[in-house]
Amino acid sequence: MHIQVSLGAVAHLVHSEFARLRSPLIWGDCVMDFTLGRLGTKTIAPVSMIVGPGNAFVAEAKRQLFGRVGIDLIAGPTETLVIADETVDGELCTTDLLGQTEHGVNTPAILLTTSEKLARETMAEVERLLSILPTGELASVSWRDYGEVIVCDSDEEMVREADRIASEHVQVMTRDPEYFFKNLKNYGALFLGPRTNVAYGDKVIGTNHTLPTGKAARYTGGLWVGKFIKTCTYQKVLTDEASAMIGEYCSRLCVLEGFLAHAEQANIRVRRYSGRHVVYAGAAD
């Protein structure tokens, strides 16, 4: 028997009245999140989704609103991982590590390197730059509590360690950055070569400022256009014969699971579309 069943999926843009605004809202981020997510305003209906970067208060607003509205992800605190070898110096590595530690007192900053000399230079440079950095008092707490320097035997080991750490930002400054581009799997955003850095990505070149933290890069990426598309599936059985045949399988599975009302959804169609008798709440033969 030829079974005809139509299966498919439809993608819809997530609707948000916020997208209709013609003038800017000048509110604090977390206040805006709560207002638009829960209440709306006199002219704006409650939105369907809230996305974008923010501090700990924004993350908490998203956490409390999740379920009532969609969110991109709950991110923070920020993280940075620098992968470097002897082709760069300690000052450059330290500058890029401390660039993120000024965010707060709980920002992980990690150096992975195959060069013990670079590791020692970087640790010495940290002390020097923290003494002259205007935000050094804040950055020094993160470095003291969350800073790490890990010396590896090879590029392969650095890849394994980096994927284990699964950092939000991963900056690669090695002889062959392309090797890491081809082999790394767990990161929020990757910055290849000494000419780029996390600040460039955050402020100018993108591609994103809302990225996974807390090892979430093992299973998700950052905010992207796909977050604004939802997939709705549909099913349509096209013939009487198909419905009856599928119903027989469905009936037996439902009875085995003890879902007898489910089974009757299948049984009634077996009776009507095949003319066969099925005992009420029983399994189709």
Side-chain angles (χ1 to χ4, degrees), residues 5-12 231-238:
V5 180
S6 176
L7 303 174
V10 180
H12 295 287
T231 302
C232 301
T233 61
Y234 66 90
Q235 304 84 36
K236 183 178 181 182
V237 181
L238 303 179

Side-chain angles (χ1 to χ4, degrees), residues 18 29 32-33 47-54 58 62 69-73 210 223-224 227-228:
F18 189 45
D29 286 346
M32 182 187 294
D33 284 355
V47 300
S48 300
M49 192 170 190
I50 292 174
V51 302
V58 171
K62 286 182 180 179
V69 298
I71 63 171
D72 43 6
L73 48 82
T210 307
L223 177 62
W224 70 295
K227 288 286 186 179
F228 299 93

Side-chain angles (χ1 to χ4, degrees), residues 246-259 262-263 266 283-284:
I246 294 168
E248 292 173 6
Y249 289 108
C250 182
S251 172
R252 293 193 287 271
L253 285 170
C254 292
V255 170
L256 283 171
E257 294 173 351
F259 287 108
H262 282 65

Side-chain angles (χ1 to χ4, degrees), residues 14-284:
V14 177
H15 174 70
S16 171
E17 288 295 333
F18 189 45
R20 301 172 184 270
L21 285 178
R22 297 183 181 277
S23 59
L25 290 179
I26 307 175
W27 295 345
D29 286 346
C30 59
V31 175
M32 182 187 294
D33 284 355
F34 262 100
T35 302
L36 295 177
R38 292 180 64 91
L39 305 173
T41 70
K42 289 182 179 180
T43 57
I44 307 170
V47 300
S48 300
M49 192 170 190
I50 292 174
V51 302
N55 57 19
F57 299 102
V58 171
E60 177 60 19
K62 286 182 180 179
R63 187 190 68 80
Q64 293 191 29
L65 288 170
F66 179 61
R68 181 182 292 268
V69 298
I71 63 171
D72 43 6
L73 48 82
I74 300 173
T78 191
E79 307 159 346
T80 195
L81 171 67
V82 173
I83 300 174
D85 61 18
E86 69 282 356
T87 59
V88 292
D89 58 78
E91 183 183 26
L92 189 60
C93 291
T94 301
T95 300
D96 290 337
L97 289 167
L98 297 183
Q100 292 299 295
T101 57
E102 69 177 355
H103 270 289
V105 297
N106 56 352
T107 298
I110 303 172
L111 171 66
L112 283 182
T113 182
T114 49
S115 168
E116 184 175 344
K117 178 176 180 290
L118 178 64
R120 295 187 182 280
E121 284 181 1
T122 299
M123 288 188 288
E125 277 295 301
V126 166
E127 301 306 317
R128 183 182 74 84
L129 292 184
L130 281 176
S131 69
I132 60 175
L133 181 67
T135 54
E137 183 176 355
L138 187 64
S140 65
V141 177
S142 277
W143 179 254
R144 181 194 67 199
D145 295 342
Y146 297 94
E148 293 182 61
V149 175
I150 302 172
V151 179
C152 297
D153 290 331
S154 64
D155 287 355
E156 291 80 6
E157 185 181 3
M158 288 201 288
V159 167
R160 291 194 297 272
E161 279 296 294
D163 279 340
R164 177 188 64 82
I165 294 165
S167 182
E168 176 189 17
H169 305 102
V170 177
Q171 186 167 342
V172 179
M173 297 187 292
T174 63
R175 182 175 288 100
D176 183 13
E178 289 300 309
Y179 171 80
F180 294 89
F181 176 62
K182 292 175 181 177
N183 288 279
L184 285 172
K185 295 180 176 65
N186 300 337
Y187 54 85
L190 193 59
F191 304 85
L192 296 168
R195 295 184 185 88
T196 188
N197 60 78
V198 176
Y200 281 9
D202 283 353
K203 309 302 181 184
V204 185
I205 63 176
T207 56
N208 198 346
H209 196 61
T210 307
L211 299 165
T213 60
K215 293 185 180 292
R218 293 172 300 164
Y219 56 83
T220 189
L223 177 62
W224 70 295
V225 66
K227 288 286 186 179
F228 299 93
I229 299 173
K230 64 178 183 178
T231 302
C232 301
T233 61
Y234 66 90
Q235 304 84 36
K236 183 178 181 182
V237 181
L238 303 179
T239 67
D240 293 352
E241 293 83 358
S243 183
M245 177 175 279
I246 294 168
E248 292 173 6
Y249 289 108
C250 182
S251 172
R252 293 193 287 271
L253 285 170
C254 292
V255 170
L256 283 171
E257 294 173 351
F259 287 108
L260 303 184
H262 282 65
E264 268 307 300
Q265 288 183 268
N267 290 343
I268 192 171
R269 288 165 174 82
V270 174
R271 297 186 196 107
R272 293 191 178 190
Y273 296 130
S274 74
R276 295 180 53 209
H277 174 67
V278 181
V279 175
Y280 186 83

